[in-house]
Amino acid sequence: MEKKRVVVTGMGAITPLGTGVSTFWDGLKAGRSGVARITRFDPSALDSQIAGEVRDFDPTAYMERKEARHMDRFAQFALAASKMAAEDARFDPAKEDPERLGVFIGSGIGGMETLTDQAEALRVKGPGRINPFFVPMMIGNIAAGNVSIFFGAKGPSLTFVTACASGSNAIGEAARAVQRGEVDVVIAGGSEAALVQLAVGGFCAMKALSTRNDQPERASRPFDKDRDGFVMGEGAGVVILESLEHAVARGATIHGEVIGYGLTADAHHMVEPAPEGEGGRRSMAAAIRDAGLRPEDVDYINAHGTSTTLGDLGETQAIKALFGPHAHKLAVSSTKSMTGHLLGAAGAIEFIACVMALKEGVIPPTINYEQPDPDCDLDYVPNQARRADLRVAMSNSFGFGGQNATLIVKKYA
């Protein structure tokens, strides 16, 4: 059976650069950092005291106060971003077959804030003070569950927990469900809200985070010689994916077309990438094959680019191995330089960045690129956005456990 074409008709974003896709995109184009000292708790005891916090989010703008109290922050983000995406798509679920409407949302960690709050309640006040909503607030699938309930989506509802690849896997698997004709529309993306002392402290214990606490806006510096670790972030990205025929039939505005998806495993190490980024190389190659493209057809890569020594080197090596001479003609940038690393939501907001780059013909920069690393020698679009005629963009997400996902989106014409 011939695969259906899959298009993006709606987008919603909650990010450290602001709430809403236009605010997020304007921040990226301006090369603005959303990283600052942590305010959600006192970080003084931690080696890393900075993060990309969402500072302008009011859940009651998207849901009733009582409803918000019964949701963890990551689920609030997911529902709010889904409502934004549906509004952008002018999508009315009441006009759809509910059994052909799906929800695919990823999260690397789930309700960490609820978990730590309730652990403290147990410790201080005893088991009688545990919130009766604790379990349904904390479990990782509850973001997809709440979105499904709100939209009356009775098709497949799935949660992807593949660390930093979660959002990308959710979008990729959603696209495949549409391609196969199993659903007409999927609400897909990723959400994360893990800026609690336990989670930040855990990454500090791994020595994975930047400790550039005196210059937070300069701390995330992918591919720069002086990078010293990643910066945690929070937020959500959600897109509406639907078959081209369905989108055209309802008169939807089409933002872009999903044409490729690849996923692989390193089978190497819990947290370190495979030597020379070979797992990421295979993920990119699989996405290119799925899209029916040649490597030289790709114009821009939104890199995983976390600002870690091994990760940035491995991704650079993978791009060079796969693309050959074309690697040096490609534009490669990491928007994590501005947002920090949104973990399970990263792939979703970066996919949105790719769609916007294609729509506007603007490549977002890698900020804080000041000291070139001789081992990372590609065109990372340093420090300033760049105008370019773009037709095909790729987004990489590589997660702990060696789980890799790559998405390819094409300018719709």
Side-chain angles (χ1 to χ4, degrees):
M1 186 175 69
E2 186 176 355
K3 292 193 301 186
K4 292 181 180 290
R5 293 173 67 182
V6 183
V7 294
V8 183
T9 57
M11 300 184 288
I14 297 169
T15 79
L17 293 175
T19 293
V21 170
S22 61
T23 303
F24 166 54
W25 179 240
D26 287 346
L28 292 183
K29 289 190 295 183
R32 182 165 60 84
S33 173
V35 177
R37 183 177 173 84
I38 292 169
T39 63
R40 295 194 62 78
F41 63 89
D42 180 1
S44 301
L46 299 177
D47 292 337
S48 181
Q49 301 168 13
I50 55 178
E53 291 182 334
V54 172
R55 296 173 182 269
D56 65 344
F57 177 71
D58 176 6
T60 62
Y62 305 94
M63 63 200 78
E64 295 296 327
R65 188 175 302 277
K66 181 178 179 181
E67 187 180 19
R69 284 204 309 269
H70 295 161
M71 285 188 205
D72 186 89
R73 186 170 167 88
F74 94 105
Q76 293 174 356
F77 284 167
L79 181 57
S82 297
K83 290 183 177 183
M84 289 180 209
E87 182 179 358
D88 179 42
R90 301 193 306 278
F91 175 73
D92 182 359
K95 296 180 179 178
E96 302 295 327
D97 178 350
E99 295 186 19
R100 294 190 60 78
L101 172 58
V103 178
F104 289 18
I105 293 180
S107 182
I109 298 178
M112 178 65 85
E113 187 171 70
T114 297
L115 178 63
T116 56
D117 285 350
Q118 294 307 300
E120 182 66 6
L122 172 65
R123 186 186 71 82
V124 174
K125 300 177 181 178
R129 298 301 297 273
I130 296 173
N131 189 327
F133 288 92
F134 164 52
V135 172
M137 287 175 67
M138 179 268 300
I139 51 179
N141 73 304
I142 205 64
N146 279 313
V147 172
S148 174
I149 291 165
F150 176 82
F151 286 95
K154 296 183 177 181
S157 178
L158 293 172
T159 299
F160 296 84
V161 184
T162 49
C164 311
S166 300
S168 291
N169 280 135
I171 292 171
E173 297 298 335
R176 286 191 170 170
V178 175
Q179 284 177 337
R180 293 190 296 259
E182 296 170 1
V183 286
D184 296 321
V185 183
V186 185
I187 302 164
S191 185
E192 203 79 89
L195 293 181
V196 298
Q197 190 170 27
L198 179 63
V200 179
F203 282 116
C204 285
M206 292 174 62
K207 306 297 183 184
L209 299 182
S210 171
T211 57
R212 200 181 287 257
N213 297 318
D214 57 338
Q215 296 178 311
E217 70 284 351
R218 297 181 63 205
S220 184
R221 44 199 316 109
F223 307 108
D224 185 84
K225 184 179 180 181
D226 294 333
R227 62 191 185 274
D228 71 328
F230 77 90
V231 175
M232 285 182 70
E234 63 175 352
V238 174
V239 295
I240 305 294
L241 301 184
E242 52 189 300
S243 67
L244 175 60
E245 59 189 324
H246 186 275
V248 170
R250 69 178 190 86
T253 298
I254 295 172
H255 298 308
E257 181 175 359
V258 185
I259 59 171
Y261 170 49
L263 65 164
T264 64
D266 285 356
H268 170 68
H269 190 274
M270 284 194 297
V271 296
E272 291 182 5
E276 299 183 351
E278 71 87 25
R281 175 188 58 76
R282 289 186 290 108
S283 180
M284 289 186 283
I288 288 171
R289 285 195 304 272
D290 186 50
L293 300 178
R294 302 165 301 169
E296 54 267 33
D297 294 324
V298 177
D299 301 309
Y300 165 60
I301 298 177
N302 187 297
H304 184 55
T306 58
S307 188
T308 62
T309 301
L310 290 178
D312 292 1
L313 173 61
E315 188 169 11
T316 298
Q317 291 171 325
I319 292 169
K320 290 162 74 171
L322 176 61
F323 288 91
H326 185 61
H328 292 278
K329 300 175 184 177
L330 274 167
V332 179
S333 72
S334 173
T335 49
K336 289 184 180 73
S337 60
M338 294 170 274
T339 64
H341 189 353
L342 271 62
L343 308 178
I349 66 163
E350 288 157 14
F351 175 80
I352 290 171
C354 285
V355 173
M356 293 303 299
L358 293 170
K359 283 187 67 174
E360 293 198 3
V362 176
I363 303 171
T366 305
I367 69 167
N368 300 320
Y369 187 79
E370 297 169 344
Q371 297 293 330
D373 182 340
D375 294 323
C376 296
D377 57 352
L378 299 177
D379 175 8
Y380 302 114
V381 194
N383 303 313
Q384 290 188 322
R386 179 188 304 165
R387 292 212 160 270
D389 181 18
L390 302 174
R391 293 191 309 139
V392 176
M394 170 183 282
S395 179
N396 283 332
S397 297
F398 307 146
F400 281 179
Q403 295 180 279
N404 310 303
T406 299
L407 297 166
I408 298 179
V409 61
K410 182 176 77 170
K411 186 175 183 177
Y412 179 75

